[in-house]
Every structure is written in structure tokens, then in C-alpha cells.
Amino acid sequence: MFLIPLVAGQKHTPYGSKAPYHMVAGNILDFDFPCKPVSLFSVHRHGTRNIGKKIVKRIDLLVGVLQSKYMSEGVPDESLQWLLEFGHRHKPNKDLILEGYRQLFGQGERFSQAFTDLFSDPSRIRVATSFKGRCKSSALSFLYGVYGNSFRVSNDSEILKTKDVRRDCDGMCQVYEPVSVIGTEKPLISFEHEQNNLLRYYKECQNYVTRADNKIAWQAAPNNYLRGSKMTALTKKMSSRLGLDLSPHDVVTLHILCALEVGVPRLMTSSRFCSLFQDEELYVTAFHLDMMRYNGKMMAEAVNSSCVLLQDGLKFLKHNQGANLKFAHTETIFPLLEHIGHLKEPMSSGRSLLDREFFGDITPLAGNFFMVAMECPGSSQRFVQTFLNEKPVDFPNCGSPCKLDKILEMFPEEGCDFVGVCEGRGFDLYRFVTMETIALSILVVFVIDLVRRCLF
């Protein structure tokens, strides 16, 4: 596999949200806690999964065109001979795959070693996931890493009914077996498998859904970038290298193929798509993909409505011992990071390719954000240390460790107005800029022009 090295001094990969966890993560076992951890609140993104139907179609269409041209006309350069042999085995179902199971299993192992006391009593463990099977499978993989097969979960019969749990993991689903083996001698762990109100809070927020559905508005800037000078120049270079007239969208598809090649080489036969890019070129296409993710997922309504998830975590850290573990999506974590102030700079076309705050690999596959409450000798207060992908980070405007009471003052429960953010709204131009209204406007202009011509 050809792997593009990181640009000197650059800590972010160009692979965005498809970056494999090991490329960007730290190791919680490397951190030396100054005081005793007593409570943990964590939010995990599901592990590596199959790609969706739309991406599969894009890939198959572009690869099909390239292979057809090369078979009929010959490859323009011998270095591209591999393209004739390329094939992928991704299924268009978004299920967790073997790499994803292993990622979460490994996290569970490390967490169990770092927080031995917290996980020693399963009755103090609370697990929650969204309704998606890949999130449930990720949670069960994590628990298997912590407890091996010595646990069972509540709602197991309901979890087993989920059609996309345990469906596509290449016969390596032993991480899920504890659910199907009901043994009274095995400790029971609280497992809420459809906590969508907290873990898909953005989908529960009608004002966010309304704006997110209006793709013309929020995709305008990323699409303008596609037509800009950087993408135009790169598209011309790629067309020359491949001997085919490509569009900017085709070049983005080549980027996605490269990211899949890096993340899941097992499913990418004879793949060398990353070798098509040179120097910083992957960051050119990554910029477009990151803009799409930022504009679509970081709307104010999503950021502000994430307060419900933060409040759930803060209450647990204040009043409980044990662990409150959530397994959800990248859309769950990104807005939460901006809500607490970890992300501050907006993503716009004026940003530098490399010198910017927002990168999609902040939440890689199996990414996580967690807060650990500690109790220190001689103090009645709890202190919090925060982590992003197992790397310690300061809590914004508080440092590390930060007094839990100070965080509670910064984010009081009464300041979380989900209803006001998500239901109450005055006039909003975004609601009216839709495909239907644009088409109607064009029709009205046409009719008016037609009448004018007839009358005059």
C-alpha cells in the first residue's frame, strides 16, 4: 500500500472522518492521573464500517469508466496497470466490519487497565447507543474488551432483533457472543440501545433538521470551492495523469478511494489510489470534504442542542461513581466539541489548507471524547481531566485538571434550552431557499417575461 506521509509539522491527516483511529489517537495508558479517577463520561464514535450506497455508486462508476477506457485503448502509463486489477469488497450497508470491532475491543482493553476501579463493579456501568446497529456492535465490542465474555447486557433480546447488528464482520463476531449467552452468573450491565434523544439530539432538533435539509444553502460554499482555482488546477493535473477528462467530483472520489485504501486495505484489492496524489494535493480535496462536514454538521442549532448530552454527562460526573459510556456518531461529537469551546474557528473557503482548526479527523472512525472526574486527597471537590481520542486536552477556559463545580457554573442546567433552540424561531430565510422555491421563482420570472413580450 502506498501511504502519503504527513506534511512536515502537520498533525492532521488528509483522510478526514475516514481516518483510521490509530493514525490520530493517543493511548490512555500513557497518562498519569494526578488523583484517583472516580467517574467517567465518554462519547465514542462507532468503529470502521462499510461505506454507504452513494459512495459505492460513485466509486463503481468512476472505476468502471477508467477500466473500460484502459481495456479498449491501453493504459496511458505502465504505472497505472494496477487500475485494471483493482476491485473492492465494500458492501453498501454501513455495518461495522472487522476493523471496527477490533478498534473498539482495543479501546475497551485499554480503558479497563486505565480505570480498573471504575469498571470493577458492572452495576455502576451505564451504556447507551443510538438505534444504529454499528453503534450497538461498537458498544458490545468495547465491553468485550473490558470484561471478556463475563458479562451480559439488559435489553439483549431487543438488541438481537436489530437487523444490522452482527451482520457483516467476516465471521469474527465473538465480541458479540456474550449477548446471546444468557447466564445468571454473569453480571448484568445497563444497556440502553436506542437513546436517540441524547445521542442523535440533532435529529430531534426540528430547526436543525429544517436547515440541514436545505442543502442548496449549506453546500454553496463547498461547491464554490470545487469550482475555485485550487480544485481546478488539481483536476487538470489528475486528468493528465490518468488520461481521462475528470470533473472535480471525480477527483474527490479518488480522494475517498485513497482514504479507504489507508483505512481498510483488506477490502481494496490492488489499490494504489494514494499514489496518484503528490505533496499536499490530498489536502486540497480534504478541504472540500471538511467544508461539507463542517457546514452540514456544525450549524448553530446542532451545537446549541448538544447541551442535552453535556448535561447528562456532567450530572453523572457530579453524583455518581462508575462509567457512563455513549456510542454514537461523528455528528454527535463535533457539535459537542464546539459547544464547550474546544472548536472556535469557523471553517470557510478563506482558511489555509493546512493552518486551520477544523479537520475531519478530529473524530476519526472509533474516535472519542471523554471526561474523567477525580477525587484528590484533602479536597472535597471533584476535578475533571478531558481527553480527545485518548489524548489529554484542556477543558476550554478552565485548563486541566478543572474543578467540576466550575464547569457546572460555566454550563448550568438552566442554560440548556433545547426547546427554545429547536422549536422556537422567528423569520428564517433558510426555510424558503429550497429547490421548490427556486424552481417556482424561475417559473414566475419566465411567465412575467413571456407576458411582457406578448404585450409589448
Side-chain angles (χ1 to χ4, degrees), residues 10 27 37 48 80 96 111 120 131 140 144 175 192 204 230 242 249 292 321 323 347 371 390 397 400 412 428 448 452:
Q10 177 60 30
N27 187 328
T48 298
L80 297 174
L96 200 71
F111 273 57
S120 62
F131 75 99
L140 292 163
Y144 191 83
V175 292
E192 187 174 346
E204 303 289 322
K230 292 185 178 68
L242 292 173
H249 283 285
M292 288 286 286
Q321 294 187 352
M347 179 75 182
M371 306 169 68
E390 298 185 56
N397 302 312
S400 62
D428 182 9
I448 291 174
R452 182 182 62 80

Side-chain angles (χ1 to χ4, degrees), residues 136 140 151-162 165-166 176-184 186-193:
K136 301 175 189 180
L140 292 163
F151 75 98
R152 57 192 180 101
V153 298
S154 59
N155 299 321
D156 45 15
S157 61
E158 292 299 316
I159 294 170
L160 285 169
K161 294 178 182 178
T162 307
V165 167
R166 196 184 177 188
Y176 191 67
E177 292 301 328
V179 180
S180 61
V181 180
I182 306 302
T184 55
K186 296 182 178 181
L188 183 68
I189 294 176
S190 173
F191 194 116
E192 187 174 346
H193 64 288

Side-chain angles (χ1 to χ4, degrees), residues 28-60:
I28 185 60
L29 296 177
D30 293 335
F31 185 79
D32 185 17
F33 285 91
C35 300
K36 180 182 179 181
V38 294
S39 187
L40 166 69
F41 167 65
S42 65
V43 186
H44 304 255
R45 184 189 178 192
H46 58 76
T48 298
R49 58 168 173 81
N50 275 319
I51 51 181
K53 294 179 181 179
K54 292 181 180 179
I55 299 298
V56 170
K57 288 181 179 179
R58 284 178 61 172
I59 288 173
D60 290 347

Side-chain angles (χ1 to χ4, degrees), residues 379-412:
S379 175
S380 60
Q381 298 192 55
R382 288 187 172 185
F383 297 82
V384 171
Q385 174 64 55
T386 52
F387 295 83
L388 182 61
N389 301 319
E390 298 185 56
K391 295 179 180 178
V393 294
D394 289 349
F395 194 93
N397 302 312
C398 193
S400 62
C402 175
K403 290 181 179 179
L404 177 56
D405 286 344
K406 182 174 181 179
I407 298 177
L408 291 169
E409 291 175 5
M410 295 166 63
F411 297 95

Side-chain angles (χ1 to χ4, degrees), residues 16 53 62 71 106 135 159 204-205 210 213 307 311 349 366 438:
K53 294 179 181 179
L62 177 58
M71 284 189 287
C135 298
I159 294 170
E204 303 289 322
C205 183
T210 299
D213 286 345
C307 65
Q311 289 301 319
S349 57
I438 290 175

